[in-house]
Amino acid sequence: MKYLFCFNFFITLLSLQLSSAQNNATDIPMNSSNWKIHKGTSTFETFDNRETLLLNGKAFVKNKKFSNGTIEVDVFANKNRSFAGIIFRKQQDTMEEVYMRLHKSNQADAIQYSPSYDDELTWQLYKEYQANVTFKNKGWNNLRIEVNNNTTEVFINDAKVLTVENLRTADNNGEIGLFALFNNRFSNFRFTSNEVASKTNKETKNKKESNIISQWNITKAFPFSEDELRFNSFSKEKFATVTTESSGLLPFSKFIKKRSSGNFEKNKEVYAVASTSIESNNNQVRLFSYDYSDKIIVYLNGVALFRGNNAFRSKGLQYQGHIDINANKLYLNLKKGKNTLHCAVIDKANGWGLIGKLE
């Protein structure tokens, strides 16, 4: 009898906690008085006996900020190529995004986390934050994220499908909203706020290889022209020192703005140059392992050694262009003393990045 009483008490307490969490949730009705549309088209209408938002672009909840807690929304099934997701902690043109590739149900990249810098997704740089999910092909799919400081857990139809251990932007609060590309329909948007996240949003320290290049000197962004890009065109530019993520990844858009961004493949190509110095006690050969997005020209001591194209679909319709530090190998003939490695990295969309190590 004693154990039965304890069990019943536990169930009652759990029910009260769940009820309290639900009561603390803020529902945002799907109408124009609650939402502001950013760069896109929208229609608020009744569909399937619900208030819905048909969106192609971004929409943000008016006068609401979010730090930690839960955000969820229902997304109507769509077999056509399209994307639908949640935006959170938006400040100016920087935000965190979790989204569904609805046309990729039961594929490795059906769900994606990506930080967005300069109002542009960077998914090519974060293959590790994709997951295989099977979506309902009829009716509504529920997308829910649970945010706790630097970690986010992602749920589809109440099943946990992805854990993001290192949210990449440095912002600990901001606006919340929705993202859709090629028209998707949303309903039942709600969120629950917990305590404000820690102001020091530090990346969890993973074991790092000692030969990772963790600092680069970078220029600002320049318009790219194949005929005009020469070593002399940037060698005297001003460089600023930046630190990579613990993996060695340098996401350029986190530090510098493009002149054309936010329009996916309609962007005009730009380039920036990342440089590092290599001291050598004698003449020797060292291996440079690296990857990049979208294109690159590698110079050693002013001499071009390699040109490559890793852009989305550059090697076929299914080619993603994800970054992998071991994808490219280049032997560097170092002279005794100071050597300078310059990487001119050209980008259009989907993630502007560089990663490298010396072996």
Side-chain angles (χ1 to χ4, degrees), residues 29 66 208 241 264 313 315 342 353:
F66 175 88
K208 183 170 69 174
T241 302
F264 301 97
R313 292 182 172 174
K315 300 169 186 176
H342 287 90

Side-chain angles (χ1 to χ4, degrees), residues 100-116:
M100 309 154 70
R101 294 182 173 102
L102 287 160
H103 56 296
K104 290 199 167 187
S105 180
N106 199 30
Q107 295 188 38
D109 56 347
I111 197 86
Q112 175 82 55
Y113 158 74
S114 171
S116 184

Side-chain angles (χ1 to χ4, degrees), residues 291-309:
D291 207 1
Y292 56 91
S293 177
D294 288 333
K295 302 176 183 177
I296 198 170
I297 307 174
V298 181
Y299 301 84
L300 179 64
N301 298 327
V303 178
L305 302 181
F306 175 82
R307 296 171 184 264
N309 185 353

Side-chain angles (χ1 to χ4, degrees), residues 298-343:
V298 181
Y299 301 84
L300 179 64
N301 298 327
V303 178
L305 302 181
F306 175 82
R307 296 171 184 264
N309 185 353
N310 198 33
F312 177 56
R313 292 182 172 174
S314 61
K315 300 169 186 176
L317 284 177
Q318 298 302 316
Y319 185 71
Q320 301 291 303
H322 292 122
I323 274 192
D324 177 357
I325 196 169
N326 294 306
N328 300 278
K329 306 286 185 180
L330 192 61
Y331 287 99
L332 305 179
N333 289 302
L334 302 179
K335 64 183 181 181
K336 182 179 180 180
K338 181 180 178 180
N339 298 264
T340 305
L341 183 69
H342 287 90
C343 297

Side-chain angles (χ1 to χ4, degrees), residues 201-230:
N201 191 1
K202 293 183 179 179
E203 183 182 357
T204 302
K205 297 299 181 183
N206 298 318
K207 186 176 180 181
K208 183 170 69 174
E209 296 180 59
S210 60
N211 52 0
I212 289 283
I213 300 174
S214 59
Q215 283 194 329
W216 291 90
N217 303 308
I218 63 173
T219 66
K220 64 181 181 180
F222 302 97
F224 172 68
S225 171
E226 189 79 44
D227 298 330
E228 296 178 6
L229 178 53
R230 299 288 184 273

